[in-house]
Each structure stands twice: as structure tokens, then as C-alpha cells.
Amino acid sequence: MARTYKHMATSVIHEGYDSKNMLGSLTTPLFQTSTYTFNTAEQGERRFAGEEEGYIYSRLGNPTVTVLEERIAALENGERGLAFGSGMAAVSAMLFALTKANDHILCSPGLYGCTFGLLTMMKEKYNISFDFSTMVTEDELHSKIKSETACIYVETPINPTMKLIDLEMVAKVAKEYGIPVVVDNTFASPYLQNPIDLGCDVVVHSATKYIGGHGDVIAGLAVGKKEFLDNVAVTTLKDIGGIISPFDAWLLLRGLKTLPVRVDRHCDNAEEIFKRLKTHPNVATVYYPNDDAHPDYHIMKKQMRRGGGIISFEIKGTKVDAQKFLNELSFLKIAVSLGDAETLIEHPATMTHAVVPDESKQYMGITDQLIRLSVGLEAWQDIWADLEQALNKINVSSDAYSKA
Ligand code: PLP
């Protein structure tokens, strides 16, 4: 769906919904229904045969969900959107739809832990192999593509290391082979990055994060070509059944209205926290895309509007020091997830990426010292005060210092 409005701040509020068609209701009504009645048996027959438009059963479609799907399609500049019961339901539906037994998936050099887990399961059950490309140069990417490569799967920024992938470059190489590129756009949100505009084919979101934005819903979204997603809607989504509930779709529509305002504030806060983390004596390295010393800064400038709200950093010390640091926090919450109003902080090696084997963790750069911080919407001064007092309490041994 092409965006109707020139500015995203308008699109997040209005795309896909016309109150005139809904008795003047300002907000999208919540159609909390499992099924829809037919006026006659013949009408039911026509609906099932696809000869008449209309709703049948909420696993096949729901008016509240339709508004959400149209809105996300417009925000990502794709032809069609589809909503799912979780980010992983969206990721798995895309990967199952694009592959068959014995295929190969080429991935960015880092993935969310459960995506890694899903790929491992697909390998064990269906011999669908996967491996990583640094995706730094076209030549390296060419060298990793095999005759059985069915799709390229990219996270950028990568969870949790904040490496960036040049989406335009990946899309260009993939086009030479006719291989679709799927991008997990969760960390950036549609406000900061639009992979379809850069030539990629499918975008997935854990809508649980910035799109929902309030820590009260688990959901996923996918956007891509109409023909592809029409097919997913009547196969993988309908028959595996990982649909979103109408109420969760309604919550996402509410969350989306403030996406630009919230994400700008997340970015403002993250920029302040980043500067301070960088100079703290107990912090070894800070990874934030909007840092001119970040190796992928040029990619950020090219494809992201701002650096986002997530910062990763390595403390000087050991796993025990990393855990002590988290335990010393006073009001910041130790929790996985991200993109919420509350600042959330976690230890990827033992939490979000615990399922990733040590060898792959090492390849991805997930060390025992790495901390992932989702900077919330609180006053940055309070966020920093809490981080600083906890960092000051890390007991750094001389061994750990020499490692850093
Ligand atoms: N993709 C990324 C980058 C994530 O961080 C997550 C969850 O943390 C997911 C996908 C999965 O989303 P969900 O938890 O909504 O299933």
C-alpha cells in the first residue's frame, strides 16, 4: 500500500482507517469476535469460494486486524501487511513460506536467540541449512550464496551487538540471483528505517517492541509483495494459525499513533546515555549506531533516520561483574524485551541469546561482559544516575582490566 500522507507522523495515525465507514468512531473499533454470520447459506458458499468479499472467521481475517495490516503496509511502503501472534510467528511464517527441505538460508552475522533456535530446528527437521555472512562486501556475500540458497535473512541493527548491514548492497547482490531478502526491522522500527525502500523484499517486526511500545502486548508483523503475503495468509498463517488477537491488534494501533514521538524521545535519551557510558572508567566498549567511531556509522547515515534507542556495552570485568552491575540497579528494570517506556536492561549471553552455542556467540560477539540497554522514556538524567551508581560499584579485578 502506498503511503497516503507525505509524513510518517500523519500516516501512523490515519493510514488504513476511515471513520466514515465505522459510524464515525474516532478510534478503530475493536471487533472482538471469533466468527461472522452469513445472511444465507448461499452467501456462506460465495464467501468460502472467494466470490464475495467479507469476513468468515477471525483466523482468516478480522476488521480491526485489517486496519493494522493496512497501516503497517503503508508505513513500510509495501504492498500488503500481515499480523501475527508474536514476532517469532511472523519470522517463522516467512521462513517456512520461503523454504523447502534441503534449502539453505544465508544470515547476517548475528540473530535474535529464538531466530537462531528456529533455524537450528529447521535444520534438524528439514535439513534446511543456514550459515552466516559478514555482509561487509559484495564479494564476500557472493561467495556465501549457494545454488540452494532460498532466502537471505538480515537483522540490522543486529540484536544485541548493534552491528549494521548495508541493506541496499545486500538487496542488489540478492537480485542478481533472484533470492528474496527478509529483514527483521524490529530494532529500528518503521520510523527509523524502511528496508523495502532499499530494495529488500520482506520486512518482519516483533511488534512487541517499539510498535506496541508499552510492554503490554506480544505480536508480530510482516510486510511484502501482495502476491506473496496473500499466499502466506491462506497457507502458513491460516493453517499453522499464529494469528494476532483483535484486542492486541487494537493495542498496536493505539501504540503506533505515538511511534514517531516515542522513538524520537528514545533516540534523544540514548544519545545522552551513550555519551556518558563512553567515558565511564568501568565501561570497556559501547556499541551505538549513531557514533562516528562505530565501524558501521556510514551505513547508519545512509539508511537510518537516527541511531535508535538501544545501546550495548561491555563492562570491564567478568560475567560475575556484569551480573553484579545489574543487581545494583535501583529503579531500572532487569528484563528482556525492548522499546518500552521503561528502561530495560539485560545480559544477552545468559538471557536473550542463552540458546546460542558458545562458538556462535563468539562469532556474533556476544561476550559475558556484554549488556543490552533499551533506553526508555524516563528523564535521561535519572536513567544515567542509576546506571552510573551501579557501574561505580563494579569491583574490577586487575585481571579483568588487563583483558580490556
Ligand atoms: N526479532 C528480534 C530482533 C527480537 O528482538 C525479537 C524478540 O526479542 C523477536 C524477533 C521475536 O519477537 P517476539 O518476542 O515478539 O516473538
Side-chain angles (χ1 to χ4, degrees), residues 68-80:
L68 173 66
E69 292 178 338
E70 290 187 3
R71 191 160 299 171
I72 191 66
L75 297 180
E76 286 290 10
N77 264 328
E79 289 176 9
R80 174 157 190 197

Side-chain angles (χ1 to χ4, degrees), residues 86-88 91 112 155 159 184 186-187 206 208-209 218-219 338:
S86 70
M88 285 316 301
V91 170
Y112 169 54
E155 264 180 39
N159 181 0
D184 183 332
T186 300
F187 267 42
S206 167
T208 313
K209 312 296 176 349
I218 299 270
L338 52 104

Side-chain angles (χ1 to χ4, degrees), residues 75-379:
L75 297 180
E76 286 290 10
N77 264 328
E79 289 176 9
R80 174 157 190 197
L82 266 189
F84 296 82
S86 70
M88 285 316 301
V91 170
S92 57
M94 295 306 109
L95 291 179
F96 280 122
L98 290 169
T99 56
K100 57 181 184 345
N102 307 318
D103 277 347
H104 169 250
I105 301 172
L106 187 60
C107 302
S108 53
L111 293 172
Y112 169 54
C114 293
T115 305
F116 187 94
L118 170 72
L119 290 165
T120 307
M121 186 264 276
M122 289 170 78
K123 180 166 168 44
E124 281 162 10
K125 292 187 80 140
Y126 309 113
N127 197 33
I128 297 171
S129 61
F130 70 99
D131 63 333
F132 300 106
S133 156
T134 62
M135 299 186 179
V136 171
T137 64
E138 288 189 27
D139 285 348
E140 192 267 353
L141 191 52
H142 279 291
S143 76
K144 288 288 175 82
I145 293 174
K146 305 178 182 189
S147 56
E148 59 273 26
T149 304
C151 85
I152 297 181
Y153 187 89
V154 183
E155 264 180 39
T156 181
I158 294 176
N159 181 0
T161 53
M162 306 310 290
K163 287 180 195 149
L164 305 185
I165 302 297
D166 181 341
L167 291 175
E168 212 169 16
M169 183 276 275
V170 173
K172 175 175 164 270
V173 172
K175 285 237 154 34
E176 291 178 33
Y177 300 83
I179 300 171
V181 179
V182 180
V183 180
D184 183 332
N185 203 24
T186 300
F187 267 42
S189 89
Y191 181 56
L192 296 182
Q193 177 174 277
N194 299 118
I196 290 174
D197 290 349
L198 300 166
C200 301
D201 301 277
V202 179
V203 174
V204 288
H205 282 283
S206 167
T208 313
K209 312 296 176 349
Y210 288 104
I211 290 176
H214 293 76
D216 50 14
V217 60
I218 299 270
L221 294 166
V223 179
K225 289 258 181 309
K226 184 170 173 352
E227 192 185 343
F228 172 63
L229 287 186
D230 280 353
N231 186 45
V232 173
V234 296
T235 55
T236 324
L237 181 57
K238 173 172 80 66
D239 297 336
I240 295 181
I243 58 153
I244 192 169
S245 78
F247 181 57
D248 287 349
W250 187 89
L251 283 173
L252 292 187
L253 284 166
R254 186 166 74 157
L256 266 175
K257 289 184 187 183
T258 54
L259 181 79
V261 181
R262 286 185 285 109
V263 172
D264 270 330
R265 174 66 177 262
H266 283 295
C267 294
D268 292 344
N269 280 356
E271 284 165 13
E272 295 295 340
I273 300 298
F274 157 71
K275 278 190 272 183
R276 286 160 179 82
L277 280 172
K278 237 188 149 171
T279 55
H280 194 283
N282 288 347
V283 173
T285 330
V286 189
Y287 305 101
Y288 183 59
N290 194 10
D291 169 10
D292 54 15
H294 190 298
D296 304 327
Y297 181 65
H298 61 290
I299 302 176
M300 183 250 137
K301 283 285 176 202
K302 200 170 116 175
Q303 71 188 27
M304 292 177 73
R305 291 181 187 94
R306 296 187 67 180
I310 318 286
I311 304 171
S312 290
F313 57 97
E314 281 177 309
I315 57 141
K316 290 179 183 169
T318 60
K319 174 180 159 191
V320 173
D321 295 306
Q323 291 180 327
K324 179 170 166 47
F325 159 66
L326 294 181
N327 292 335
E328 292 292 350
L329 291 164
S330 118
F331 84 96
L332 300 186
K333 308 294 179 220
I334 307 173
V336 297
S337 204
L338 52 104
D340 292 334
E342 295 83 356
T343 294
L344 303 180
I345 192 159
E346 65 119 3
H347 185 242
T350 57
M351 296 178 188
T352 47
H353 291 70
V355 299
V356 177
D358 286 346
E359 194 187 291
S360 300
K361 268 191 201 134
Q362 213 179 352
Y363 173 81
M364 293 181 188
I366 303 169
T367 64
D368 279 347
Q369 292 79 23
L370 189 72
I371 302 285
R372 189 186 79 188
L373 174 70
S374 168
V375 181
L377 301 177
E378 304 97 336

